[in-house]
Amino acid sequence: AGNGTIVPGTAQTWQFPGQVINYLGANNTIQDLFDLANQALAGTYTKVLNSDPSLSQIAKAVDIINNAFDECRILAGFSNTPPGTAIREIEEEPEFDYGVSMRAYPNPFNSTTNIEFMLKGYESDVSVDVFSLTGKKVTTLFSGHVPADEMMKVEFNGLNLAPGIYIYKLNTGDDVFQDKLILIK
């Protein structure tokens, strides 16, 4: 699908672990899955109920998402029915009206890292905070209004912090997006 055209006969299906979907609840997103995976990686996720997903089920779900969109694949549909049902081919790639782009680089880092973020298609007041794995706020890197489609960049200085994993969160008031930072020395 390099030029946006679906190649007949190339449809693939994956069976997503039901425990992960049930755990994430209604209206879940890929970001919710990645947040869960980050909690699992950070050791802050604990399986409480037998119906909660295992670490291997969470890893399988992330692997499915990573593989499902490789090589310019696009989502043609999804269903809660067993595999083997027909997948509807779509004519055009869906358009996304809004979203958030964020990344930290370098990551892992040994003294400072840059965090870039952009609100795609909308503007909002935003805060970017860094937390320890215990949930203690380390610092606020940014607090203010962010225009639509403008790349913002802040620097996080971890020189005086202990090595380990930290979480940075971008809060728009309506949504919270997070990812991990790995400080090595």
Side-chain angles (χ1 to χ4, degrees), residues 4 21-22 30 56 62 71 98 110 131-132:
I21 294 171
N22 291 337
I30 299 300
S56 63
V62 170
E71 301 176 16
Y98 67 96
N110 62 15
F131 295 85
S132 70

Side-chain angles (χ1 to χ4, degrees), residues 40-53:
L41 283 171
T44 59
Y45 167 77
T46 305
K47 182 176 177 172
V48 177
L49 304 173
N50 284 338
S51 59
D52 289 349

Side-chain angles (χ1 to χ4, degrees), residues 140-156:
T140 297
L141 297 174
F142 178 87
S143 182
H145 188 78
V146 174
D149 303 314
E150 184 175 313
M151 186 62 73
M152 307 291 288
K153 182 168 98 171
V154 293
E155 183 179 84
F156 175 54

Side-chain angles (χ1 to χ4, degrees), residues 89-171:
E89 291 187 0
I90 58 174
E91 305 254 335
E92 296 178 13
E93 188 171 335
E95 291 186 25
F96 297 98
D97 296 325
Y98 67 96
V100 169
S101 171
M102 66 180 207
R103 72 180 184 127
Y105 65 92
N107 194 18
F109 68 104
N110 62 15
S111 60
T112 61
T113 186
N114 296 297
I115 298 173
E116 287 185 345
F117 57 95
M118 179 175 64
L119 305 179
K120 182 180 173 195
Y122 71 104
E123 60 183 86
S124 180
D125 289 330
V126 167
S127 67
V128 178
D129 302 298
V130 177
F131 295 85
S132 70
L133 283 181
T134 62
K136 180 181 176 189
K137 185 191 281 190
V138 174
T139 189
T140 297
L141 297 174
F142 178 87
S143 182
H145 188 78
V146 174
D149 303 314
E150 184 175 313
M151 186 62 73
M152 307 291 288
K153 182 168 98 171
V154 293
E155 183 179 84
F156 175 54
N157 186 334
L159 195 58
N160 295 322
L161 296 173
I165 298 175
Y166 294 84
I167 305 295
Y168 69 100
K169 294 184 180 184
L170 183 146
N171 188 335

Side-chain angles (χ1 to χ4, degrees), residues 1-62:
N3 62 0
T5 304
I6 296 173
V7 179
T10 62
Q12 294 184 15
T13 59
W14 287 271
Q15 189 168 358
F16 211 81
Q19 291 88 341
V20 174
I21 294 171
N22 291 337
Y23 182 83
L24 293 174
N27 300 318
N28 55 65
T29 65
I30 299 300
Q31 184 64 50
D32 294 333
L33 171 61
F34 288 160
D35 291 345
L36 176 61
N38 281 334
Q39 291 171 4
L41 283 171
T44 59
Y45 167 77
T46 305
K47 182 176 177 172
V48 177
L49 304 173
N50 284 338
S51 59
D52 289 349
S54 66
L55 295 178
S56 63
Q57 289 168 328
I58 295 168
K60 179 180 179 182
V62 170

